[in-house]
Amino acid sequence: MKKKKILALATCALMAAGSLGSCGGGDKKGGGEGHMYGAALASNPQSLDPQFANDPSSATVIKNMYSGLMMKDKNGSIVCCNASDYDVSSDGCVYTFNLREDNFWFFDENDDDIIDEEECFPVTADDYVFAFRRLLDPKMHSPFSRYFMCLKNSKRIAEGSYRADSLGVEALDSYTIQFTLDYPCAEFLGLLTSPAAFPCNEEFFNSTKGRYGLDDRSVMSNGPFYVRQWFYDPYGSNNILYMRRNDKNLHEGYEVLPTFVSFSVLDSEAEVKQAFKDDETECFSTMKVGGYNPKKYNITGQKAMTLGMIFNPEDRLYSNAALRKAVALAVDREALDEELDSDLKAAYGIIPPAVDIAGRSYRELASDKQFDVYDPQQAAELVEQAKAELKVSSIDSVKIIVDSGTVDSRYLHILSQSWQDSLGIYIGIEDLTSKEFRQRIESGDYSIALYPVKGDFNSGLAVLDKFTEVGCLKNAAGGVDSSEAVMKCSTVNELVNGYASAEREILQQFGFVPLFYKTSYLVAKDDNEDILYDPFTGSVDYRIAKNYS
């Protein structure tokens, strides 16, 4: 079997080389299309099942393999994709979508890279119905089901008291699908752009006999590319995932410019960076961009992560509410912001600037300055109160643990000095590897940690959800859960106000103290344009990518 796979790999490489020669790669005078993108994944995809997978490698392949009713364009606006149009009822509870009739499933049954008529068939409303029933089925254990609790009967289905076929998702005919919600939800269209809302064909799913999404013969594409070959040997090399353009799904308004995307499946982000240096991949995503000259590379970045202090609830000192609040009130973010480089921005709120609503940054719609609590005088008074409550004459020094793979901790020294000057408290910094950081958090071996918060997709709901799902953040939020209230916001204005209210409620617990908004980057060779990076899912989208080499 392995010999057959490696032979197929050599065949693919020859085919790709031949295609590149005929396409010519394009130049600035052309459109930049027809390229084979050399790419790399930092790990083997866990699954190519959109209703289940949530690791960055899986997300990248899924993004290039499937498409849904709606999508976000490169400007962040929500637009129709496989839906030709849609209608919303006057009460905001019923969404009716008319499907395009030129979106097709393709499965290359005979492995000849030719799209034969018998190998493709239309994506219908039933495929979306089946996908959503899977998504909400409690036996599925989808990590995304909680985001769709606005759908009629979804809670009862998740609890196991209702059957999946009672879900408020119905095929009115082959090309018309209707969603019925329990209440109006301004986030619903945005949710439909996420991979969890991609279609799934029931007949093909059943034919995989429990292996759906786990190998190259148990996946079927309805998007820009299809998986031609997926080979991974954890003890070997030459691991690849090779995709070709799905020419059946080219139509007006939905271009697919590259002809191939060839992924090397590697074992770490460090190996991906090395592959980039060795010219084996044309882009990579990273949390740190030092050493890459923006004059030589196309570097794009979005502030999609919030870094904030969390406190161990079992800590002898920082379990004290007055002490936590004192540390929070002593942070002068305005002064801090003047010292930061472009990688970081002082954070007053929880939801980072990259989260958008209706194509605009949420932080533009709701300034986080409304959460500014800087008050050094009250902070000093609270320290004295904490000493009395703790029955101590001074506050012993502690260290903030920091994941050095995520952020450069040097700016924390500014805060450390200010706490010492204004409060008489010494809080040092301990840099750890990502693995060490996770282990210390899980074991509870810390007093304070600089903890990263990022949503599973581009939504304030996904960010806030971390404070109900992640143990240390749940403690930090003091049990506050605003998810349902936010979901019930029926207009954009209500949604903006709902998010701000939810942020305020969490921040008032003083268990999470936001300090920085952190940039995530995509670094690409300078002859590339429009490679789209989603810093929330970690996916890299090559659909409209152009190369002028």
Side-chain angles (χ1 to χ4, degrees):
M1 182 66 175
K2 182 176 179 181
K3 184 176 180 181
K4 179 181 176 183
K5 286 284 187 182
I6 293 175
L7 178 61
L9 170 60
T11 303
C12 284
L14 287 171
M15 289 166 56
S19 298
L20 280 171
S22 62
C23 291
D27 54 35
K28 283 294 183 179
K29 293 180 181 178
E33 68 274 5
H35 186 62
M36 183 185 85
Y37 271 90
L41 301 172
S43 63
N44 190 47
Q46 295 177 9
S47 169
L48 300 185
D49 179 350
Q51 278 79 49
F52 183 77
N54 63 354
D55 63 290
S57 293
S58 299
T60 289
V61 180
I62 286 169
K63 183 67 175 178
N64 289 282
M65 185 179 173
Y66 297 93
S67 56
L69 293 169
M70 309 296 291
M71 67 178 182
K72 288 190 176 182
D73 64 18
K74 65 180 182 179
N75 299 315
S77 298
I78 299 172
V79 297
C80 287
C81 185
N82 295 337
S84 59
D85 56 67
Y86 65 93
D87 177 71
V88 185
S89 64
S90 59
D91 64 359
C93 289
V94 180
Y95 287 72
T96 306
F97 293 85
N98 296 308
L99 273 60
R100 299 184 66 104
E101 297 187 22
D102 53 3
N103 182 233
F104 294 89
W105 291 111
F106 172 60
F107 178 72
D108 195 12
E109 183 70 37
N110 54 19
D111 278 341
D112 64 356
D113 293 312
I114 298 173
I115 301 179
D116 300 316
E117 288 301 317
E118 61 271 18
E119 293 176 331
C120 60
F121 51 93
V123 177
T124 69
D126 287 328
D127 298 322
Y128 288 97
V129 171
F130 181 66
F132 275 89
R133 288 179 180 175
R134 285 189 67 228
L135 177 67
L136 273 301
D137 189 334
K139 296 177 183 177
M140 169 74 178
H141 299 293
S142 170
F144 308 111
S145 61
R146 61 185 181 271
Y147 299 120
F148 291 86
M149 288 297 134
C150 56
L151 289 168
K152 182 180 178 181
N153 293 332
S154 56
K155 284 190 174 182
R156 298 286 183 89
I157 294 168
E159 294 166 354
S161 57
Y162 276 23
R163 288 161 43 105
D165 58 11
S166 65
L167 185 67
V169 184
E170 180 183 4
L172 302 185
D173 58 46
S174 294
Y175 293 102
T176 309
I177 184 168
Q178 190 169 88
F179 295 87
T180 302
L181 280 56
D182 278 329
Y183 44 80
C185 176
E187 275 280 33
F188 186 63
L189 285 178
L191 293 171
L192 292 183
T193 69
S194 68
F198 289 164
C200 180
N201 181 267
E202 184 174 9
E203 182 178 353
F204 181 82
F205 174 84
N206 290 333
S207 75
T208 65
K209 298 179 180 179
R211 290 198 55 78
Y212 184 67
L214 297 180
D215 57 54
D216 54 17
R217 303 305 291 171
S218 66
V219 290
M220 183 168 61
S221 167
N222 82 308
F225 302 93
Y226 66 92
V227 174
R228 174 65 179 82
Q229 187 175 36
W230 180 11
F231 172 65
Y232 182 73
D233 178 358
Y235 304 105
S237 57
N238 294 324
N239 293 318
I240 64 158
L241 195 152
Y242 182 71
M243 305 185 80
R244 290 178 64 107
R245 184 169 65 191
N246 186 347
D247 289 332
K248 191 69 176 178
N249 283 335
L250 303 181
H251 53 71
E252 184 178 355
Y254 191 81
E255 293 181 300
V256 182
L257 298 182
T259 308
F260 310 95
V261 183
S262 181
F263 294 102
S264 298
V265 182
L266 305 177
D267 293 325
S268 68
E269 292 182 5
E271 287 189 13
V272 172
K273 288 184 179 181
Q274 186 60 50
F276 184 78
K277 291 179 180 179
D278 295 339
D279 287 327
E280 295 170 0
T281 179
E282 300 191 54
C283 68
F284 72 97
S285 60
T286 180
M287 294 301 296
K288 292 185 175 181
V289 78
Y292 293 94
N293 189 337
K295 294 181 179 179
K296 294 183 178 180
Y297 301 97
N298 283 331
I299 301 175
T300 57
Q302 298 182 63
K303 288 181 170 58
M305 176 183 288
T306 303
L307 292 157
M309 291 188 295
I310 60 170
F311 306 89
N312 190 333
E314 303 301 322
D315 187 77
R316 181 176 65 88
L317 297 174
Y318 286 90
S319 58
N320 181 271
L323 186 56
R324 294 196 306 269
K325 187 174 180 179
V327 170
L329 267 57
V331 177
D332 184 353
R333 291 174 177 82
E334 187 172 342
L336 177 64
D337 218 17
E338 294 176 357
E339 303 294 331
L340 302 178
D341 62 21
S342 60
D343 183 55
L344 298 173
K345 179 178 174 57
Y348 297 79
I350 295 171
I351 300 174
V355 169
D356 57 50
I357 296 178
R360 290 185 60 189
S361 167
Y362 163 68
R363 289 273 69 114
E364 292 177 6
L365 298 169
S367 171
D368 64 353
K369 297 288 181 69
Q370 64 183 292
F371 307 125
D372 188 5
V373 293
Y374 179 54
D375 189 337
Q377 182 176 341
Q378 186 183 1
E381 294 170 357
L382 284 165
V383 169
E384 296 307 313
Q385 177 184 329
K387 289 178 184 178
E389 291 173 353
L390 293 166
K391 296 180 172 58
V392 297
S393 59
S394 63
I395 302 298
D396 293 341
S397 63
V398 297
K399 290 184 177 180
I400 302 176
I401 63 170
V402 180
D403 178 354
S404 60
T406 298
V407 65
D408 189 329
S409 67
R410 70 183 186 272
Y411 295 111
L412 277 173
H413 289 282
I414 300 171
L415 292 171
S416 177
Q417 187 63 52
S418 71
W419 286 317
Q420 191 167 10
D421 293 342
S422 64
L423 303 180
I425 294 174
Y426 179 72
I427 300 176
I429 295 100
E430 183 178 2
D431 285 307
L432 303 172
T433 66
S434 297
K435 182 178 180 180
E436 290 170 338
F437 182 83
R438 289 193 299 270
Q439 289 174 339
R440 293 277 292 273
I441 293 292
E442 289 169 3
S443 66
D445 183 16
Y446 68 97
S447 294
I448 308 174
L450 186 66
Y451 197 85
V453 178
K454 184 178 71 170
D456 292 333
F457 56 95
N458 189 337
S459 166
L461 182 67
V463 176
L464 296 174
D465 188 67
K466 296 299 178 183
F467 289 86
T468 62
E469 294 295 323
V470 179
C472 60
L473 292 179
K474 191 173 182 178
N475 289 331
V480 171
D481 183 358
S482 304
S483 299
E484 187 170 349
V486 169
M487 287 288 284
K488 290 183 177 180
C489 295
S490 60
T491 67
V492 168
N493 285 339
E494 284 184 17
L495 187 62
V496 170
N497 293 333
Y499 279 145
S501 176
E503 288 183 280
R504 183 175 295 105
E505 193 173 2
I506 292 172
L507 293 172
Q508 286 174 347
Q509 310 303 312
F510 294 100
F512 179 81
V513 180
L515 296 180
F516 309 110
Y517 297 129
K518 173 74 177 68
T519 305
S520 300
Y521 300 93
L522 183 78
V523 180
K525 305 292 185 181
D526 63 356
D527 53 4
N528 292 286
E529 294 179 357
D530 291 335
I531 302 176
L532 305 181
Y533 172 54
D534 181 345
F536 296 97
T537 65
S539 68
V540 180
D541 182 354
Y542 294 91
R543 182 178 68 84
I544 59 171
K546 303 181 186 71
N547 178 277
Y548 298 98
S549 59

